[in-house]
Amino acid sequence: MLKPASPPGAIPHLDKLGHAALFAVQAPLLFAATGWRPARVWLALAAWALGSEALQGWLTSDRSPEALDALADLAGASLALWWASRRHGRR
């Protein structure tokens, strides 16, 4: 049986902050680059979050999809899109 690539961290669910931070960076960049409405950016990022989690479980033998990872992704994207849309005056 394969072992995970790295041992679990000392702080439970610390990786969720990383997920939220990555999507918090991606969201305003996609928003600014495309000119899409925040809802469309959010839907694109939701598809990315869910798709990447599904592929992680399907294509790897040492990782599994986690709903909490996708939720953390969308929480980061939501907060950043809220901020970006207020800053740029687009809703």
Side-chain angles (χ1 to χ4, degrees):
M1 178 179 240
L2 296 174
K3 293 182 180 181
S6 60
I11 301 173
H13 304 294
L14 184 62
D15 67 312
K16 305 312 180 250
L17 289 176
H19 279 268
L22 286 172
F23 274 70
V25 169
Q26 292 177 45
L29 290 174
L30 187 60
F31 179 69
T34 62
W36 292 345
R37 291 186 168 276
R40 187 170 179 184
V41 173
W42 191 89
L43 286 173
L45 291 173
W48 179 252
L50 295 172
S52 66
E53 286 300 317
L55 287 173
Q56 176 176 284
W58 184 48
L59 296 176
T60 65
S61 61
D62 62 338
R63 301 189 66 192
S64 60
E66 287 189 42
L68 289 179
D69 286 351
L71 286 175
D73 295 340
L74 295 177
S78 297
L79 288 173
L81 280 172
W82 173 81
W83 173 80
S85 65
R86 297 298 181 264
R87 188 167 187 252
H88 294 281
R90 294 190 311 205
R91 295 171 192 216

